Amino acid sequence: MSEMAASSAVSLLDIKPRRFGVNHELRLTKWKRKVLWFDGDQTRRFRCFADMLAPIRRSEKSEERRFDQKTSAHGAGIKTSSSAVPFASPKSRFVSKQEKFYPRCTPRLTGPQSRDTPPKRDTGIANEKDWGIDLLNENVNESGTNEDGSSWFRESGHDLGDNGYRCRWTRMGGRSHDGSSEWTETWWEKSDWTGYKELGVEKSGKNAEGDTWWETWQEVLHQDEWSNLARIERSAQKQAKSGTENAGWYEKWWEKYDAKGWTEKGAHKYGRLNEQSWWEKWGEHYDGRGSVLKWTDKWAETELGTKWGDKWEEKFFSGIGSRQGETWHVSPNSDRWSRTWGEEHFGNGKVHKYGKSTTGESWDIVVDEETYYEAEPHYGWADVVGDSTQLLSIQPRERPPGVYPNLEFGPSPPPEPDQPPDQPQ
């Protein structure tokens, strides 16, 4: 199953509103900071498969749903709304309400709800409840063709392996009649006798304009091989490309927590809009005993040769620590300007501040100033445990009497590359 999830086809179906109740319009917009992101207006009306063949009665009350979507401080808020368009129905007005909405409705014949929304930039790692993962308890392999010629499929199963390994999975997707739009989504849960548990999602898609996207999310519970403490790790990767211009973006996010307060968080980001490209990396590390390290590195460049960036780092423990950073710029003719700065915090209300620039600026002073830093993450072990109920509820295979799990830990895997081979160009 791991191979299947890793090699899911990039697909997404642009399904008509009559079939799956999704009115989706993908558009690539320019953000204020020249950052790409995707947005879609969508209205979902849930009815059984058979009833969607008939138009909606004008007399039926239309349903409107509003979605207030907020991104992080790097993003922007969007408010969209749409409502179903009423049409005259050919059905007899004497048909009962129950028969009108659920005629010959059998869930197994119903195609999967379209999951054709692309990822959004700078939204971090979603909680498991936001994905709505619902694995089937039996093997399924079914497909169908819609009235408009589009098709769908849904399949599920489980894989078994050594040491009590089990992977339950469900895969679904769809395709427009001409193949110009596709979508695929895979859910899975994994477990073994060592206590390892994993919950994951992978989705991908494309539309008729040539826009493509891919996203994966994972949540893992395991025992740390060095400390023997329980650890929960969450990660997400997201990528989108425009089919009409030289534009796209990629992000990788990760979070790691253990039961004693040790926490690590970070992200790597890349984007391109025509002649301009930009990168961002940041990280946070809390040792659970009061020591904290934070850092950020951002830079950008144009095809003409202009480059600029900014980076900083801070380290603190028991009120004592330091901060330092640099802002820089390189012109097309290779002229470089930079300003570096630093702070030493002594824990007694005194702060040493110093810095210089390539244009002759310099300063070196000691000031009376309070020291402020975050010694603990705002979201820690207790929070992630509370948000991981589905992961923690995964039931492993029953272990036969006298059979014990293999607890030998292999060598650590090599670090992942900062950017995927297929990054936007």
Side-chain angles (χ1 to χ4, degrees), residues 158-240:
H158 67 275
D159 303 321
L160 304 179
D162 296 335
N163 213 27
Y165 171 84
R166 178 171 64 184
C167 175
R168 296 174 57 223
W169 54 270
T170 295
R171 186 169 179 261
M172 67 197 81
R175 179 185 177 95
S176 62
H177 71 283
D178 59 358
S180 61
S181 299
E182 298 180 339
W183 69 274
T184 300
E185 183 161 349
T186 304
W187 303 335
W188 68 86
E189 67 171 37
K190 301 178 182 179
S191 62
D192 64 22
W193 292 334
T194 69
Y196 179 90
K197 298 181 179 182
E198 177 182 320
L199 197 64
V201 175
E202 182 173 11
K203 62 184 295 184
S204 56
K206 70 175 183 178
N207 63 12
E209 289 71 35
D211 303 321
T212 60
W213 52 89
W214 168 82
E215 180 176 10
T216 186
W217 172 92
Q218 284 179 286
E219 192 173 53
V220 173
L221 169 69
H222 68 101
Q223 180 180 350
D224 181 72
E225 59 183 289
W226 303 111
S227 66
N228 290 328
L229 292 172
R231 176 178 289 188
I232 293 179
E233 301 182 5
R234 306 196 305 177
S235 62
Q237 295 188 69
K238 311 174 188 183
Q239 177 175 295

Coordinates of all heavy atoms in Angstrom, one line a residue, residues 158-240:
H158 N -6.8 -4.2 2.3 CA -5.8 -4.2 3.3 C -4.6 -5.0 2.9 O -4.7 -6.0 2.2 CB -6.4 -4.6 4.7 CG -6.8 -6.1 4.7 ND1 -8.0 -6.6 4.2 CD2 -6.1 -7.2 5.1 CE1 -8.0 -7.9 4.3 NE2 -6.9 -8.3 4.8
D159 N -3.4 -4.6 3.4 CA -2.2 -5.3 3.2 C -1.6 -5.8 4.5 O -1.7 -5.1 5.5 CB -1.2 -4.4 2.5 CG -1.7 -3.9 1.2 OD1 -2.4 -4.6 0.5 OD2 -1.5 -2.7 0.9
L160 N -1.1 -7.0 4.5 CA -0.5 -7.6 5.8 C 1.0 -7.8 5.5 O 1.5 -8.0 4.4 CB -1.2 -8.9 6.1 CG -2.7 -8.8 6.3 CD1 -3.2 -10.2 6.7 CD2 -3.1 -7.8 7.4
G161 N 1.8 -7.7 6.6 CA 3.2 -8.0 6.6 C 3.8 -8.5 7.8 O 3.0 -8.9 8.8
D162 N 5.1 -8.6 7.9 CA 5.8 -9.1 9.1 C 5.6 -8.2 10.3 O 5.3 -7.1 10.2 CB 7.3 -9.3 8.8 CG 7.5 -10.3 7.7 OD1 6.7 -11.2 7.5 OD2 8.6 -10.2 7.0
N163 N 5.8 -8.8 11.5 CA 5.7 -8.1 12.8 C 4.4 -7.5 13.0 O 4.3 -6.5 13.7 CB 6.8 -7.0 12.8 CG 7.4 -6.8 14.2 OD1 7.4 -7.7 15.0 ND2 7.8 -5.6 14.4
G164 N 3.3 -8.1 12.5 CA 2.0 -7.6 12.8 C 1.6 -6.5 11.9 O 0.5 -5.8 12.2
Y165 N 2.3 -6.2 10.9 CA 2.0 -5.0 10.0 C 0.7 -5.2 9.3 O 0.3 -6.3 8.8 CB 3.1 -4.8 9.0 CG 2.8 -3.8 7.9 CD1 3.0 -2.5 8.1 CD2 2.2 -4.2 6.7 CE1 2.7 -1.5 7.2 CE2 1.9 -3.2 5.7 CZ 2.2 -1.9 6.0 OH 1.9 -1.0 5.0
R166 N -0.1 -4.1 9.4 CA -1.4 -4.1 8.6 C -1.6 -2.7 8.1 O -1.4 -1.7 8.8 CB -2.6 -4.5 9.5 CG -3.9 -4.4 8.7 CD -5.0 -5.1 9.5 NE -5.3 -4.3 10.7 CZ -6.2 -4.7 11.6 NH1 -6.9 -5.9 11.4 NH2 -6.4 -4.1 12.7
C167 N -2.0 -2.6 6.9 CA -2.4 -1.3 6.2 C -3.8 -1.4 5.7 O -4.0 -2.2 4.7 CB -1.4 -0.9 5.2 SG -1.8 0.6 4.2
R168 N -4.7 -0.7 6.2 CA -6.0 -0.6 5.6 C -6.1 0.7 4.7 O -5.6 1.8 5.1 CB -7.1 -0.5 6.7 CG -7.2 -1.7 7.6 CD -8.2 -1.5 8.7 NE -9.5 -1.1 8.2 CZ -10.3 -0.2 8.7 NH1 -9.8 0.6 9.7 NH2 -11.5 0.1 8.2
W169 N -6.7 0.6 3.5 CA -6.6 1.7 2.6 C -7.9 1.8 1.8 O -8.6 0.9 1.6 CB -5.4 1.7 1.7 CG -5.3 0.4 0.9 CD1 -4.7 -0.8 1.3 CD2 -5.9 0.0 -0.3 NE1 -4.8 -1.8 0.4 CE2 -5.6 -1.3 -0.6 CE3 -6.7 0.8 -1.2 CZ2 -6.0 -1.9 -1.8 CZ3 -7.2 0.1 -2.4 CH2 -6.8 -1.2 -2.7
T170 N -8.2 3.1 1.4 CA -9.3 3.4 0.5 C -8.8 4.4 -0.5 O -8.2 5.3 -0.2 CB -10.5 4.0 1.2 OG1 -11.0 3.0 2.1 CG2 -11.6 4.4 0.3
R171 N -9.1 4.1 -1.8 CA -8.7 4.9 -2.9 C -9.9 5.3 -3.7 O -10.7 4.4 -4.0 CB -7.6 4.3 -3.7 CG -7.0 5.1 -4.8 CD -5.8 4.5 -5.4 NE -5.1 5.3 -6.4 CZ -5.3 5.1 -7.7 NH1 -6.1 4.1 -8.1 NH2 -4.7 5.8 -8.6
M172 N -10.0 6.5 -4.1 CA -11.2 6.9 -4.9 C -10.7 8.0 -5.9 O -9.6 8.6 -5.8 CB -12.3 7.5 -4.0 CG -11.9 8.8 -3.3 SD -13.0 9.2 -1.9 CE -12.2 8.1 -0.7
G173 N -11.5 8.3 -6.9 CA -11.2 9.3 -7.9 C -12.2 9.4 -9.0 O -13.2 8.7 -9.0
G174 N -11.9 10.3 -9.9 CA -12.8 10.5 -11.1 C -12.1 11.1 -12.2 O -11.0 11.6 -12.1
R175 N -12.8 11.2 -13.3 CA -12.2 11.7 -14.6 C -13.3 12.2 -15.5 O -14.4 11.6 -15.6 CB -11.5 10.5 -15.3 CG -10.9 10.8 -16.6 CD -10.3 9.5 -17.2 NE -9.8 9.7 -18.5 CZ -8.5 9.9 -18.8 NH1 -7.6 9.9 -17.7 NH2 -8.0 10.0 -20.0
S176 N -13.1 13.4 -16.1 CA -14.0 13.9 -17.0 C -14.1 13.1 -18.3 O -13.3 12.3 -18.5 CB -13.7 15.4 -17.3 OG -12.4 15.4 -18.0
H177 N -15.1 13.3 -19.1 CA -15.4 12.5 -20.2 C -14.2 12.5 -21.2 O -14.0 11.6 -21.9 CB -16.7 12.9 -20.9 CG -16.6 14.2 -21.6 ND1 -16.7 15.4 -21.0 CD2 -16.5 14.5 -22.9 CE1 -16.6 16.4 -21.8 NE2 -16.4 15.9 -23.0
D178 N -13.5 13.7 -21.3 CA -12.4 13.8 -22.3 C -11.1 13.7 -21.6 O -10.0 13.8 -22.3 CB -12.5 15.2 -23.0 CG -12.4 16.3 -22.0 OD1 -12.4 16.1 -20.8 OD2 -12.5 17.5 -22.5
G179 N -11.0 13.4 -20.3 CA -9.8 13.2 -19.7 C -9.0 14.4 -19.3 O -7.9 14.4 -18.8
S180 N -9.6 15.6 -19.6 CA -8.9 16.8 -19.3 C -8.8 17.2 -17.8 O -7.9 17.9 -17.4 CB -9.5 18.0 -20.1 OG -10.9 18.2 -19.7
S181 N -9.8 16.6 -17.1 CA -9.8 16.9 -15.6 C -9.8 15.5 -14.9 O -10.6 14.6 -15.3 CB -11.0 17.7 -15.2 OG -11.0 19.0 -15.8
E182 N -9.1 15.4 -13.8 CA -9.0 14.2 -13.1 C -8.8 14.5 -11.6 O -8.2 15.6 -11.3 CB -7.9 13.3 -13.6 CG -8.0 12.8 -15.0 CD -6.9 11.9 -15.4 OE1 -5.8 12.0 -14.8 OE2 -7.0 11.1 -16.4
W183 N -9.1 13.6 -10.7 CA -8.8 13.7 -9.3 C -8.6 12.3 -8.7 O -9.3 11.4 -9.1 CB -9.8 14.5 -8.5 CG -11.1 13.9 -8.4 CD1 -12.2 13.9 -9.2 CD2 -11.6 13.1 -7.2 NE1 -13.2 13.2 -8.7 CE2 -12.9 12.7 -7.5 CE3 -11.0 12.7 -6.0 CZ2 -13.6 11.9 -6.6 CZ3 -11.7 12.0 -5.1 CH2 -13.0 11.6 -5.4
T184 N -7.7 12.2 -7.8 CA -7.5 11.0 -7.0 C -7.2 11.3 -5.6 O -6.5 12.2 -5.3 CB -6.3 10.2 -7.6 OG1 -6.5 9.9 -9.0 CG2 -6.1 8.9 -6.9
E185 N -7.7 10.5 -4.7 CA -7.5 10.6 -3.2 C -7.3 9.3 -2.6 O -8.1 8.4 -2.9 CB -8.5 11.5 -2.6 CG -8.2 11.7 -1.1 CD -9.0 12.9 -0.5 OE1 -9.6 13.6 -1.3 OE2 -9.0 13.0 0.7
T186 N -6.3 9.1 -1.7 CA -6.1 7.9 -1.1 C -6.0 8.1 0.4 O -5.3 9.0 0.9 CB -4.8 7.2 -1.5 OG1 -4.8 7.0 -3.0 CG2 -4.5 5.9 -0.9
W187 N -6.7 7.3 1.2 CA -6.6 7.3 2.7 C -6.0 6.0 3.1 O -6.2 5.0 2.5 CB -8.0 7.4 3.3 CG -8.8 8.6 2.9 CD1 -8.4 9.8 2.4 CD2 -10.2 8.7 2.9 NE1 -9.4 10.6 2.2 CE2 -10.6 10.0 2.5 CE3 -11.3 7.8 3.3 CZ2 -11.9 10.4 2.3 CZ3 -12.6 8.2 3.2 CH2 -12.9 9.5 2.7
W188 N -5.3 6.0 4.3 CA -4.7 4.8 4.8 C -4.5 4.9 6.3 O -4.3 6.0 6.9 CB -3.4 4.4 4.1 CG -2.3 5.3 4.4 CD1 -1.4 5.2 5.4 CD2 -1.8 6.4 3.5 NE1 -0.4 6.2 5.3 CE2 -0.7 6.9 4.2 CE3 -2.3 6.9 2.4 CZ2 0.0 8.0 3.6 CZ3 -1.6 8.0 1.8 CH2 -0.5 8.5 2.4
E189 N -4.5 3.8 7.0 CA -4.0 3.6 8.3 C -3.1 2.4 8.4 O -3.4 1.4 7.8 CB -5.2 3.5 9.3 CG -6.0 2.3 9.2 CD -7.0 2.1 10.4 OE1 -7.6 3.2 10.8 OE2 -7.2 1.0 10.8
K190 N -2.0 2.6 9.2 CA -1.1 1.5 9.3 C -0.8 1.2 10.8 O -0.9 2.1 11.7 CB 0.3 1.8 8.7 CG 0.1 2.1 7.2 CD 1.5 2.5 6.6 CE 1.4 2.8 5.1 NZ 2.7 3.3 4.5
S191 N -0.4 0.0 11.1 CA -0.1 -0.4 12.5 C 0.7 -1.7 12.5 O 0.8 -2.4 11.5 CB -1.4 -0.6 13.4 OG -2.1 -1.6 12.8
D192 N 1.4 -1.9 13.6 CA 2.1 -3.2 13.8 C 2.2 -3.5 15.3 O 1.7 -2.7 16.1 CB 3.5 -3.2 13.1 CG 4.5 -2.2 13.7 OD1 4.3 -1.8 14.9 OD2 5.5 -1.8 13.0
W193 N 2.9 -4.6 15.7 CA 2.9 -5.0 17.1 C 3.9 -4.2 17.9 O 3.9 -4.4 19.1 CB 3.3 -6.5 17.1 CG 2.2 -7.3 16.6 CD1 0.8 -7.0 16.5 CD2 2.3 -8.6 16.0 NE1 0.1 -8.1 15.9 CE2 1.0 -9.1 15.6 CE3 3.4 -9.5 15.8 CZ2 0.8 -10.3 15.0 CZ3 3.2 -10.7 15.2 CH2 1.9 -11.1 14.8
T194 N 4.7 -3.3 17.4 CA 5.6 -2.5 18.2 C 4.9 -1.3 18.7 O 5.4 -0.5 19.5 CB 6.8 -2.0 17.3 OG1 6.3 -1.0 16.3 CG2 7.5 -3.1 16.6
G195 N 3.6 -1.1 18.4 CA 2.9 0.1 18.8 C 2.8 1.2 17.8 O 2.2 2.3 18.0
Y196 N 3.5 1.0 16.6 CA 3.5 2.0 15.6 C 2.1 2.2 15.0 O 1.4 1.2 14.7 CB 4.5 1.5 14.5 CG 4.6 2.5 13.3 CD1 5.5 3.5 13.3 CD2 3.7 2.3 12.2 CE1 5.5 4.4 12.2 CE2 3.8 3.2 11.1 CZ 4.7 4.2 11.1 OH 4.8 5.1 10.1
K197 N 1.7 3.4 14.8 CA 0.4 3.7 14.2 C 0.6 4.9 13.2 O 1.4 5.8 13.5 CB -0.6 4.1 15.2 CG -0.9 2.9 16.2 CD -2.0 3.3 17.2 CE -2.3 2.2 18.1 NZ -3.4 2.5 19.1
E198 N -0.1 4.8 12.1 CA 0.0 5.9 11.1 C -1.3 6.1 10.4 O -2.0 5.2 10.1 CB 1.1 5.5 10.0 CG 1.2 6.6 8.9 CD 2.2 6.1 7.9 OE1 3.3 5.6 8.2 OE2 2.0 6.3 6.7
L199 N -1.6 7.4 10.2 CA -2.8 7.8 9.5 C -2.3 8.7 8.4 O -1.5 9.6 8.6 CB -3.7 8.6 10.4 CG -5.2 8.7 10.0 CD1 -5.9 7.4 9.9 CD2 -5.9 9.6 11.0
G200 N -2.9 8.6 7.1 CA -2.3 9.3 6.0 C -3.3 9.6 4.9 O -4.3 8.9 4.8
V201 N -3.0 10.6 4.1 CA -3.8 11.0 3.0 C -2.9 11.4 1.9 O -1.9 12.1 2.1 CB -4.8 12.2 3.3 CG1 -5.5 12.7 2.1 CG2 -5.8 11.8 4.4
E202 N -3.3 11.1 0.6 CA -2.6 11.7 -0.5 C -3.6 12.0 -1.6 O -4.5 11.2 -1.8 CB -1.6 10.7 -1.1 CG -0.8 11.3 -2.3 CD 0.3 10.4 -2.8 OE1 0.4 9.3 -2.4 OE2 1.1 10.9 -3.7
K203 N -3.6 13.2 -2.1 CA -4.5 13.6 -3.1 C -3.8 14.4 -4.2 O -2.8 15.0 -4.0 CB -5.6 14.5 -2.5 CG -5.1 15.8 -1.9 CD -6.3 16.6 -1.2 CE -7.3 17.1 -2.2 NZ -8.3 17.9 -1.6
S204 N -4.3 14.3 -5.4 CA -3.7 15.0 -6.6 C -4.8 15.3 -7.6 O -5.9 14.7 -7.5 CB -2.6 14.1 -7.2 OG -3.2 12.8 -7.5
G205 N -4.5 16.1 -8.5 CA -5.5 16.5 -9.5 C -5.0 17.4 -10.6 O -3.9 17.9 -10.5
K206 N -5.8 17.6 -11.6 CA -5.5 18.5 -12.7 C -6.8 18.9 -13.3 O -7.9 18.3 -13.1 CB -4.7 17.8 -13.8 CG -5.4 16.8 -14.6 CD -4.6 16.3 -15.8 CE -5.3 15.3 -16.6 NZ -4.5 14.8 -17.8
N207 N -6.8 20.1 -14.0 CA -8.1 20.6 -14.6 C -7.8 20.8 -16.1 O -6.7 20.7 -16.6 CB -8.6 21.8 -13.9 CG -7.6 23.0 -13.9 OD1 -6.7 23.0 -14.7 ND2 -7.9 24.0 -13.1
A208 N -8.9 21.3 -16.8 CA -8.8 21.5 -18.2 C -7.8 22.6 -18.6 O -7.4 22.6 -19.8 CB -10.2 21.8 -18.7
E209 N -7.5 23.5 -17.7 CA -6.6 24.6 -18.0 C -5.1 24.1 -17.9 O -4.2 24.9 -18.1 CB -6.8 25.8 -17.1 CG -8.1 26.5 -17.4 CD -9.4 25.8 -17.0 OE1 -9.3 25.0 -16.0 OE2 -10.4 25.9 -17.7
G210 N -4.9 22.9 -17.4 CA -3.6 22.4 -17.3 C -3.0 22.6 -15.9 O -1.8 22.2 -15.6
D211 N -3.7 23.2 -15.0 CA -3.3 23.4 -13.6 C -3.2 22.0 -12.9 O -4.1 21.2 -13.1 CB -4.2 24.3 -12.8 CG -4.4 25.7 -13.4 OD1 -3.4 26.2 -13.9 OD2 -5.5 26.2 -13.4
T212 N -2.2 21.8 -12.2 CA -2.0 20.5 -11.5 C -1.6 20.7 -10.0 O -1.0 21.8 -9.7 CB -0.9 19.6 -12.1 OG1 0.4 20.3 -12.1 CG2 -1.2 19.3 -13.6
W213 N -2.0 19.8 -9.2 CA -1.6 19.9 -7.8 C -1.5 18.5 -7.1 O -2.0 17.5 -7.6 CB -2.6 20.8 -7.0 CG -4.0 20.3 -7.2 CD1 -4.7 19.4 -6.4 CD2 -4.9 20.8 -8.1 NE1 -6.0 19.3 -6.9 CE2 -6.2 20.1 -7.9 CE3 -4.9 21.7 -9.2 CZ2 -7.3 20.3 -8.7 CZ3 -6.0 21.9 -10.0 CH2 -7.2 21.2 -9.7
W214 N -0.8 18.5 -6.0 CA -0.5 17.3 -5.3 C -0.3 17.6 -3.8 O 0.2 18.7 -3.5 CB 0.8 16.6 -5.8 CG 1.3 15.5 -5.0 CD1 0.9 14.2 -5.0 CD2 2.4 15.6 -4.0 NE1 1.6 13.5 -4.1 CE2 2.5 14.3 -3.5 CE3 3.2 16.6 -3.6 CZ2 3.5 14.0 -2.5 CZ3 4.2 16.3 -2.6 CH2 4.3 15.0 -2.1
E215 N -0.8 16.8 -2.9 CA -0.8 17.0 -1.5 C -0.7 15.7 -0.8 O -1.4 14.8 -1.1 CB -2.0 17.9 -1.0 CG -2.0 18.2 0.4 CD -3.1 19.1 0.8 OE1 -4.0 19.3 0.0 OE2 -3.2 19.5 2.0
T216 N 0.1 15.7 0.3 CA 0.1 14.5 1.2 C 0.2 14.9 2.6 O 0.7 16.0 2.9 CB 1.3 13.5 0.8 OG1 1.2 12.3 1.6 CG2 2.6 14.2 1.1
W217 N -0.4 14.1 3.5 CA -0.5 14.4 4.9 C -0.3 13.1 5.7 O -0.8 12.1 5.3 CB -1.8 15.1 5.2 CG -2.1 15.3 6.7 CD1 -1.9 16.4 7.4 CD2 -2.8 14.3 7.6 NE1 -2.3 16.2 8.7 CE2 -2.9 14.9 8.8 CE3 -3.3 13.0 7.4 CZ2 -3.4 14.3 9.9 CZ3 -3.8 12.4 8.5 CH2 -3.9 13.0 9.8
Q218 N 0.5 13.2 6.8 CA 0.7 12.0 7.6 C 0.7 12.4 9.1 O 1.2 13.5 9.5 CB 2.0 11.3 7.2 CG 2.0 10.6 5.9 CD 3.3 10.0 5.6 OE1 4.3 10.7 5.2 NE2 3.5 8.7 5.8
E219 N 0.3 11.4 9.9 CA 0.3 11.5 11.3 C 0.8 10.2 11.9 O 0.2 9.1 11.5 CB -1.1 11.9 11.8 CG -1.1 12.3 13.3 CD -2.5 12.8 13.6 OE1 -3.5 12.0 13.4 OE2 -2.7 13.9 14.2
V220 N 1.8 10.2 12.7 CA 2.5 8.9 13.1 C 2.6 8.9 14.6 O 3.0 9.9 15.3 CB 3.9 8.8 12.4 CG1 4.6 7.6 13.0 CG2 3.7 8.6 10.9
L221 N 2.4 7.8 15.3 CA 2.7 7.5 16.7 C 3.7 6.4 16.7 O 3.5 5.3 16.1 CB 1.4 7.1 17.4 CG 1.7 6.5 18.8 CD1 2.2 7.6 19.8 CD2 0.4 5.9 19.4
H222 N 4.8 6.6 17.4 CA 5.8 5.5 17.5 C 6.6 5.7 18.8 O 6.5 6.8 19.5 CB 6.7 5.5 16.3 CG 7.6 6.6 16.2 ND1 9.0 6.6 16.6 CD2 7.4 7.9 15.7 CE1 9.5 7.8 16.3 NE2 8.6 8.6 15.8
Q223 N 7.5 4.8 19.1 CA 8.3 4.9 20.3 C 9.7 5.3 19.8 O 10.3 4.7 18.9 CB 8.4 3.5 21.0 CG 9.3 3.5 22.2 CD 9.4 2.2 22.9 OE1 8.6 1.3 22.5 NE2 10.3 2.0 23.8
D224 N 10.2 6.4 20.4 CA 11.5 6.9 20.0 C 12.6 5.9 20.4 O 12.6 5.3 21.5 CB 11.8 8.2 20.7 CG 13.2 8.8 20.3 OD1 13.3 9.3 19.2 OD2 14.1 8.7 21.2
E225 N 13.5 5.6 19.4 CA 14.5 4.5 19.6 C 15.6 4.9 20.7 O 16.2 4.0 21.2 CB 15.1 4.2 18.3 CG 15.9 5.3 17.6 CD 16.4 4.9 16.3 OE1 17.4 4.1 16.3 OE2 15.9 5.4 15.3
W226 N 15.7 6.1 21.0 CA 16.8 6.5 21.9 C 16.2 6.8 23.3 O 16.8 6.3 24.3 CB 17.5 7.8 21.4 CG 18.1 7.6 20.1 CD1 17.7 8.2 18.9 CD2 19.2 6.8 19.7 NE1 18.5 7.8 17.9 CE2 19.4 6.9 18.3 CE3 20.0 5.9 20.5 CZ2 20.4 6.2 17.7 CZ3 21.1 5.2 19.8 CH2 21.2 5.4 18.4
S227 N 15.1 7.5 23.4 CA 14.5 7.8 24.7 C 13.5 6.8 25.2 O 13.1 6.9 26.4 CB 13.9 9.2 24.7 OG 12.8 9.2 23.8
N228 N 13.0 6.0 24.3 CA 11.9 5.1 24.6 C 10.6 5.8 24.9 O 9.7 5.2 25.5 CB 12.3 4.1 25.7 CG 13.3 3.1 25.3 OD1 13.4 2.7 24.1 ND2 14.2 2.7 26.2
L229 N 10.5 7.1 24.6 CA 9.3 7.8 24.9 C 8.4 7.8 23.7 O 8.8 7.7 22.6 CB 9.6 9.3 25.2 CG 10.4 9.6 26.5 CD1 10.8 11.1 26.5 CD2 9.6 9.3 27.7
A230 N 7.1 7.9 24.0 CA 6.1 8.0 22.9 C 6.3 9.3 22.2 O 6.5 10.3 22.8 CB 4.7 7.9 23.5
R231 N 6.2 9.2 20.8 CA 6.4 10.4 20.0 C 5.3 10.4 18.9 O 4.9 9.4 18.4 CB 7.7 10.4 19.3 CG 8.0 11.6 18.4 CD 9.4 11.6 17.8 NE 10.4 11.9 18.8 CZ 11.7 12.1 18.5 NH1 12.0 12.0 17.2 NH2 12.5 12.5 19.4
I232 N 4.7 11.6 18.7 CA 3.8 11.9 17.6 C 4.4 12.8 16.6 O 4.9 13.9 17.0 CB 2.5 12.4 18.2 CG1 1.7 11.4 19.0 CG2 1.6 12.9 17.0 CD1 0.4 11.9 19.6
E233 N 4.4 12.5 15.4 CA 4.9 13.3 14.3 C 3.9 13.6 13.3 O 3.1 12.6 12.9 CB 6.2 12.6 13.7 CG 7.3 12.3 14.7 CD 8.5 11.7 14.0 OE1 8.5 11.6 12.7 OE2 9.4 11.4 14.7
R234 N 3.8 14.8 12.8 CA 2.8 15.2 11.7 C 3.6 15.9 10.6 O 4.6 16.6 10.9 CB 1.8 16.1 12.3 CG 1.0 15.6 13.5 CD -0.3 16.3 13.8 NE -0.1 17.8 13.9 CZ -1.1 18.6 14.1 NH1 -2.3 18.2 14.1 NH2 -0.8 19.9 14.2
S235 N 3.2 15.6 9.4 CA 3.9 16.3 8.3 C 2.9 16.5 7.1 O 1.9 15.8 7.0 CB 5.0 15.4 7.8 OG 4.6 14.1 7.4
A236 N 3.3 17.4 6.3 CA 2.4 17.7 5.1 C 3.4 18.2 4.0 O 4.3 19.0 4.2 CB 1.4 18.7 5.4
Q237 N 3.1 17.8 2.7 CA 3.7 18.4 1.6 C 2.6 18.8 0.6 O 1.6 18.1 0.4 CB 4.6 17.3 0.9 CG 5.8 16.9 1.8 CD 6.8 16.1 1.0 OE1 7.5 16.5 0.1 NE2 6.9 14.8 1.4
K238 N 2.9 19.9 -0.1 CA 1.9 20.5 -1.0 C 2.6 21.1 -2.2 O 3.6 21.7 -2.0 CB 1.0 21.6 -0.2 CG 0.5 21.2 1.1 CD -0.1 22.3 1.8 CE -0.5 21.9 3.3 NZ -1.2 23.0 4.0
Q239 N 2.0 20.9 -3.3 CA 2.5 21.5 -4.5 C 1.5 21.8 -5.5 O 0.5 21.1 -5.7 CB 3.5 20.4 -5.1 CG 4.1 20.9 -6.5 CD 5.1 19.9 -7.0 OE1 6.2 19.7 -6.3 NE2 4.8 19.2 -8.1
A240 N 1.6 22.9 -6.2 CA 0.7 23.3 -7.3 C 1.4 24.0 -8.4 O 2.4 24.7 -8.2 CB -0.4 24.2 -6.7

